Amino acid sequence: MARISATSQGSAPRVRFAPSPTGYLHVGGARTALFNWLFARHFAGILVLRIEDTDLERSTPEMVEGILQGLQWLGLNWDEGPYYQTQRVDLYLAAAEKLIESGAAYYCFCSKEELERRRQKAAAEGRPPKYEGTCRKLDRAEALRRKAVGEPAAVRFKIPEGGSTAFDDFVFGKVEFVNSELEDFVLLRSDRSPTYHLSVVADDIDLRITHIIRGSDHISNTPKQVLLYQALGAALPTFAHVPLILGPDKTRLSKRHGATSVMSYRDEGIVPEAFRNFLALLGWTPPEGTPEILGDADLIRLFGLEGISRSNAVFDRAKLDWFNTEYIRAYPAERLLPLIEQEWKKAGIEVTVASEPAIDQGRRDRAGTSPGGAEYVSPGRKSWDGQPDDWSPVGTAQASDRAWLLSTIDMLKPRARSLKDFAGSFRAFFTEDFEADPAAVEKFLKDDSVRKLLVELGHRYQDLQDFSEAGTEKILRDFAAEKGVKAGALINAARVALTGQGVAPSLFAVMIALGRERTGRRLEGVEAAAKSLSVNN
């Protein structure tokens, strides 16, 4: 299929994301929003946000807020809206009235009880539970009379008799439904509340939506909506139905496959840009030879409806984790820091800075680069919460403290799998409030003689003038030779004493990150730390 142009008229496209606030923003909805956002940005078009909140029993303000937060976290900014359907009911009533006047719709006086009896009878006879058109046969004057005297009535659309309804879908090609398989569907309930089909079509016409990009589960809704467009005298938009997202077992993605709410992935330490990149490739394939890691500029430049697959996509959590790791490794520390701060805040960590950090001049130079620069700002997110010219994580630290933070983050990020690591396994670098891994303590600090050697080693580090990686390594190896022990035993034990973990970056890089005072103090306090974990001597 040829690459799509903006619109048949050549003007910029108008697309919409229209979630229902009966739940939080889930993965499928986020992918739909992303595809609409990429399409709008590619063609310099307009993305409209519409909240379909007409289900008053299930829609809540909390769910609306959750959807907005999810979009903002993903960096998917919209150009118009949000429009709320509950505030546009007059538009739907006017559309229904127009359809009644034109003969495309009619009043239905069948009660709920009567309709239910007919459905049960049809099911018992093996027939589809379809409305039989009872009130369609009413004389128009009789229907108006009954309505005028206050008899409750819904409004139904009159499906054409015979023939079929077809539309061209940009992904699936020509789709056709036999009209006899469609029932006269309700437009307005007897309480005058609009149904989904009426409100969505009236809105899309009023908001001049040119392209409808949504999940393939809406294909069955489309013939009814096509008929509504035609009955209202409006041009059809371009339809593009995108494949569903399945779990690893090839069933529709659900809670049993893990988190489905977008904000759950934020809470799990996923970088928003990594999630965007991952989502974009669920059901869309860029041109051959394109790398998997695609920033916003590349995604916007390359995205097109012709790359959307008809086959359902599979949500691969291991692949998402891979994307997350790659983004954390590639990001400058300046860009990671605001995200990491959120993890520290959730974990109740008040960052303590090394009193004598060793920072190379290149890192000092980078510390002088404003985090507000465009190259570091994630869409929809402030890069720093302090005052102008104050880059500290709490609004009070000096630039040298910030430089230490950035240097430490740079050292740790190659080992990070998620942002939560910076408040979890890396916690000891930023606070004195950390707990050692019991397994690592048992393995490397169980020997009483090793702990005593670490205490003495800590004293020597406190007196060391050349506190550099080379200087700290020389002290440890000379000390091991002096005591007649293997340097590896001291290195492994010291790593646990300093970081609480059995695996960490180079021990001597860790010492420089912690600074002389904290390194010495933690080694000297290893006996007390070991006792608190009940190490068996």
Side-chain angles (χ1 to χ4, degrees):
M1 188 175 288
R3 186 170 180 82
I4 192 169
S5 59
T7 69
S8 57
Q9 293 79 25
S11 58
R14 291 176 61 86
V15 296
R16 45 74 158 179
F17 177 55
S20 174
T22 56
Y24 294 109
L25 181 64
H26 56 80
V27 171
R31 198 270 308 268
T32 297
L34 175 61
F35 280 9
N36 278 279
W37 183 79
L38 290 172
F39 187 79
R41 297 296 170 261
H42 179 88
F43 288 110
I46 299 296
L47 173 60
V48 176
L49 177 61
R50 184 173 73 228
I51 305 297
E52 298 188 343
D53 57 346
T54 53
D55 187 343
L56 299 180
E57 292 183 359
R58 298 173 60 206
S59 299
T60 67
E62 292 77 18
M63 295 300 182
V64 173
E65 182 61 25
I67 290 170
L68 299 181
Q69 287 181 357
L71 292 174
Q72 290 164 353
W73 176 72
L74 278 171
L76 303 182
N77 56 314
W78 54 92
D79 305 297
E80 287 186 18
Y83 297 102
Y84 293 85
Q85 286 191 331
T86 50
Q87 299 173 6
R88 297 167 61 82
V89 174
D90 287 347
L91 176 69
Y92 315 139
L93 296 178
E97 187 63 30
K98 181 177 180 180
L99 292 168
I100 292 171
E101 290 177 358
S102 69
Y106 60 91
Y107 290 114
C108 175
F109 300 94
C110 298
S111 67
K112 290 182 180 180
E113 294 75 17
E114 184 179 358
L115 292 173
E116 182 58 30
R117 284 196 299 271
R118 292 176 186 171
R119 290 190 184 96
Q120 291 178 359
K121 181 180 179 182
E125 296 174 354
R127 295 182 288 110
K130 175 183 170 185
Y131 181 65
E132 299 169 340
T134 304
C135 293
R136 178 172 177 153
K137 304 166 189 174
L138 285 176
D139 177 75
R140 178 178 173 80
E142 172 64 12
L144 291 175
R145 183 193 66 77
R146 292 173 64 176
K147 184 69 171 61
V149 298
E151 188 172 346
V155 175
R156 287 184 180 271
F157 186 82
K158 188 182 294 184
I159 297 290
E161 296 179 339
S164 62
T165 299
F167 62 95
D168 291 320
D169 188 89
F170 200 88
V171 177
F172 289 89
K174 184 177 181 179
V175 181
E176 189 169 6
F177 289 79
V178 177
N179 287 337
S180 60
E181 297 177 352
L182 307 175
E183 70 171 340
D184 290 358
F185 56 94
V186 175
L187 300 174
L188 288 179
R189 302 178 183 89
S190 58
D191 63 0
R192 304 277 286 171
S193 63
T195 61
Y196 167 74
H197 292 298
L198 175 64
S199 57
V200 73
V201 171
D203 272 332
D204 287 339
I205 293 172
D206 181 67
L207 297 172
R208 308 185 309 284
I209 301 302
T210 61
H211 297 74
I212 294 178
I213 305 169
R214 60 187 179 185
S216 60
D217 51 336
H218 283 283
I219 287 179
S220 60
N221 293 328
T222 307
K224 298 177 182 179
Q225 294 168 14
V226 166
L227 290 171
L228 278 173
Y229 274 98
Q230 294 170 345
L232 290 168
L236 290 180
T238 296
F239 291 100
H241 289 89
V242 302
L244 301 179
I245 300 176
L246 307 180
D249 58 357
K250 304 301 175 64
T251 61
R252 190 161 183 175
L253 191 67
S254 66
K255 290 182 179 179
R256 71 175 181 275
H257 297 114
T260 58
S261 165
V262 165
M263 298 306 280
S264 295
Y265 293 99
R266 180 201 65 177
D267 295 340
E268 291 178 12
I270 301 297
V271 175
E273 289 81 356
F275 198 69
R276 274 210 304 274
N277 193 163
F278 170 74
L279 271 187
L281 299 178
L282 287 180
W284 171 72
T285 303
E288 187 175 353
T290 302
E292 288 186 291
I293 301 296
L294 295 169
D296 287 348
D298 290 328
L299 286 172
I300 290 169
R301 176 176 56 84
L302 295 170
F303 187 81
L305 299 182
E306 65 282 348
I308 296 177
S309 171
R310 295 185 182 187
S311 302
N312 291 329
V314 175
F315 189 97
D316 184 346
R317 179 54 195 257
K319 191 68 173 182
L320 172 59
D321 291 337
W322 177 83
F323 271 105
N324 202 45
T325 299
E326 292 298 308
Y327 269 82
I328 290 173
R329 288 176 178 173
Y331 267 15
E334 293 93 338
R335 192 168 181 178
L336 283 173
L337 183 53
L339 301 175
I340 294 170
E341 285 185 301
Q342 294 301 313
E343 297 301 324
W344 289 336
K345 182 177 180 180
K346 287 187 290 185
I349 293 176
E350 294 186 10
V351 174
T352 55
V353 178
S355 58
E356 300 175 73
I359 303 169
D360 63 70
Q361 186 58 45
R363 175 58 63 199
R364 288 187 185 277
D365 292 341
R366 289 191 290 276
T369 302
S370 169
E375 67 273 29
Y376 298 132
V377 176
S378 178
R381 183 183 298 105
K382 292 170 60 180
S383 63
W384 200 248
D385 293 330
Q387 298 300 314
D389 300 322
D390 175 6
W391 304 334
S392 73
V394 292
T396 57
Q398 299 298 314
S400 61
D401 295 343
R402 174 179 168 82
W404 169 79
L405 279 174
L406 299 179
S407 180
T408 304
I409 289 170
D410 271 333
M411 178 183 68
L412 295 171
K413 67 183 185 181
R415 295 177 175 271
R417 289 183 57 82
S418 85
L419 295 171
K420 295 187 76 65
D421 288 339
F422 291 90
S425 57
F426 304 158
R427 184 184 183 107
F429 289 88
F430 307 106
T431 178
E432 296 301 310
D433 179 18
F434 69 94
E435 294 182 0
D437 175 18
V441 173
E442 179 70 18
K443 184 174 182 180
F444 297 115
L445 286 179
K446 184 175 183 179
D447 191 327
D448 180 65
S449 63
V450 170
R451 297 200 302 275
K452 289 180 178 178
L453 289 174
L454 289 184
V455 174
E456 187 175 345
L457 181 61
H459 296 329
R460 297 198 184 188
Y461 278 133
Q462 292 282 28
D463 297 331
L464 180 62
Q465 295 302 310
D466 178 21
F467 200 79
S468 62
E469 286 194 43
T472 54
E473 181 173 7
K474 184 176 187 304
I475 285 290
L476 186 144
R477 294 191 183 279
D478 289 349
F479 181 75
E482 174 190 329
K483 300 298 182 180
V485 298
K486 292 182 178 180
L490 291 179
I491 288 172
N492 289 332
R495 182 180 292 114
V496 179
L498 294 176
T499 69
Q501 303 294 317
V503 178
S506 162
L507 173 65
F508 308 106
V510 168
M511 289 181 176
I512 301 311
L514 293 175
R516 177 171 50 197
E517 181 181 333
R518 282 202 291 188
T519 296
R521 185 172 66 247
R522 289 184 184 180
L523 292 176
E524 291 169 349
V526 70
E527 286 282 13
K531 288 179 180 178
S532 70
L533 288 168
S534 301
V535 171
N536 297 318
N537 294 324

